[in-house]
Amino acid sequence: MSDHDEPRLGEFLSGLREKGDGFRVPSPDYLDELTNRALSQGRNPVPVRTMARTRWAAAAAVMLLLLATFLLLPTTDGKQTAADDTTKQPSSEMLLADLDAEDIDAYISDQLDDFESELYANAPVNE
Amino acid sequence: MSKLPEDTAILEQLRSPQGSEAAFRSLVRAYGPLLHRHLMRMLQSSADADDVLQNTLVKVFRKLDNFRGDSKLSTWLYRVATNEALTWLRSKKRRHQRFSTEDPSSLVANQLMADPYFDGDAAQLQLQQALATLPPKQRAVFSFRYFDDLSYREICEITGTSEGSLKASYHLAAKKIEAKLKEYV
């Protein structure tokens, strides 16, 4: 696809293009200071936490599974399970229902951000 | 964006005894202003641009030794910076939704009028306000094409999106911005 066959911009937008974005260029001093900050932070070793996080996630998943099994599975003799006794404490389902889907999404996004950026940083190097 | 002569110099420095630190300093001198400008257009706040540019440069420094020059340096830098900006905007959007009811467009106008890096006139301010109403990825595409005059091929390499989608996205963004600008007049 050619760059030349794109639709023309409106008159106003075409005129504004000549003026630029209105932002100043940062000073050399700012760039030097930024470089020093980045170097200082970049020399610190990256915390390796992937395996630890995986282990904790696996442990949490197992615990949740055991808890769900204990609370939700019916007993063989037809007696009520602990989940039926709602007067004692809220069930795991009720507790999970209290969590906002947005909070869960936010947590996942926050945790994955670093990993995702590392991925992008790596990707084009050896293309 | 064409391959700059600085790329060759930076790669030569990378292989020299001075190593990655000298190469990194050259890289920031060559590309820092471009990245800062790109991030200002994406984030419309010099404080945010400063944080995101620092995060970008830290990641670049840590990976610079692995850079062999098979791809253009600018493409890689823009890709990391854009991803950092998108991550930042996602996080900011969540905070904004929870704690503020202010219209994003007027928020941007107030921010930019007080920003030391914004030196534009009223029309440029309105353009930035209109830009702020675009979804972040579309804002990036529009910014690369409209302000930096990058080819779709180059934007494709940076964003990983097909050229057809980029063209459609740019066309749609231009229409939205035109409509917004007409509202402001």
Side-chain angles (χ1 to χ4, degrees):
Chain A
M1 184 177 294
S2 161
D3 287 350
H4 302 294
D5 60 350
E6 68 181 14
R8 287 195 175 279
L9 294 171
E11 193 178 333
F12 195 30
L13 211 45
S14 295
L16 267 177
R17 194 176 198 175
E18 302 297 319
K19 296 171 78 173
D21 55 19
F23 290 115
R24 286 197 180 100
V25 178
S27 70
D29 287 346
Y30 165 76
L31 291 174
D32 286 344
E33 191 254 329
L34 182 69
T35 305
N36 292 334
R37 270 191 281 150
L39 281 171
S40 170
Q41 197 179 331
R43 285 192 195 105
N44 292 332
V46 184
V48 181
R49 50 187 179 178
T50 309
M51 286 306 293
R53 187 183 293 173
T54 306
R55 287 191 194 113
W56 277 110
V62 169
M63 289 297 290
L64 274 174
L65 190 64
L66 289 173
L67 188 65
T69 305
F70 173 73
L71 292 172
L72 300 175
L73 283 182
T75 55
T76 51
D77 59 358
K79 288 180 183 174
Q80 285 187 320
T81 63
D84 296 328
D85 192 357
T86 54
T87 56
K88 287 183 180 174
Q89 56 185 359
S91 69
S92 56
E93 283 176 319
M94 289 168 68
L95 290 170
L96 284 171
D98 285 342
L99 284 176
D100 189 354
E102 193 175 303
D103 288 335
I104 297 171
D105 181 52
Y107 174 79
I108 293 169
S109 296
D110 286 343
Q111 300 306 309
L112 288 178
D113 283 345
D114 285 344
F115 178 74
E116 192 177 315
S117 292
E118 289 296 326
L119 204 64
Y120 273 95
N122 278 321
V125 175
N126 300 320
E127 277 175 356
Chain B
M1 187 185 308
S2 58
K3 189 168 185 174
L4 296 176
E6 283 87 343
D7 280 19
T8 313
I10 290 167
L11 288 173
E12 281 173 8
Q13 273 183 310
L14 260 180
R15 295 178 195 112
S16 74
Q18 291 97 327
S20 58
E21 183 170 326
F24 181 71
R25 288 187 182 277
S26 301
L27 178 149
V28 178
R29 273 195 295 274
Y31 291 104
L34 294 173
L35 293 176
H36 187 269
R37 211 177 188 99
H38 170 59
L39 291 173
M40 282 301 295
R41 293 195 296 252
M42 286 294 292
L43 307 166
Q44 291 153 327
S45 152
S46 57
D48 289 353
D50 179 66
D51 285 339
V52 174
L53 184 52
Q54 183 176 333
N55 292 345
T56 300
L57 293 177
V58 168
K59 288 197 165 76
V60 165
F61 176 69
R62 285 176 175 159
K63 301 292 177 186
L64 193 57
D65 285 341
N66 301 329
F67 186 78
R68 295 201 305 260
D70 298 340
S71 64
K72 280 199 294 186
L73 193 49
S74 59
T75 303
W76 179 48
L77 295 173
Y78 269 98
R79 194 173 183 187
V80 177
T82 304
N83 185 59
E84 283 293 318
L86 294 175
T87 300
W88 185 273
L89 285 168
R90 274 199 302 269
S91 174
K92 190 172 184 176
K93 185 183 174 188
R94 285 195 299 269
R95 292 195 303 269
H96 184 77
Q97 278 175 341
R98 287 180 194 182
F99 302 116
S100 173
T101 55
E102 194 174 355
D103 170 41
S105 179
S106 58
L107 190 70
V108 162
N110 292 335
Q111 268 179 196
L112 286 179
M113 280 190 289
D115 199 298
Y117 280 98
F118 185 71
D119 192 24
D121 59 19
Q124 287 168 313
L125 182 64
Q126 287 174 346
L127 178 57
Q128 292 300 326
Q129 279 183 270
L131 203 57
T133 64
L134 297 179
K137 282 182 184 172
Q138 196 172 41
R139 194 184 312 167
V141 172
F142 183 82
S143 174
F144 282 135
R145 184 77 188 134
Y146 181 80
F147 292 113
D148 294 328
D149 204 24
L150 297 191
S151 69
Y152 286 115
R153 179 71 203 142
E154 286 168 311
I155 304 171
C156 171
E157 287 172 13
I158 293 167
T159 60
T161 309
S162 73
E163 290 186 42
S165 301
L166 289 174
K167 188 177 175 184
S169 179
Y170 177 69
H171 177 54
L172 195 60
K175 290 284 175 198
K176 284 184 196 172
I177 289 178
E178 287 273 7
K180 276 283 171 192
L181 290 176
K182 281 175 188 163
E183 279 178 27
Y184 298 142
V185 174

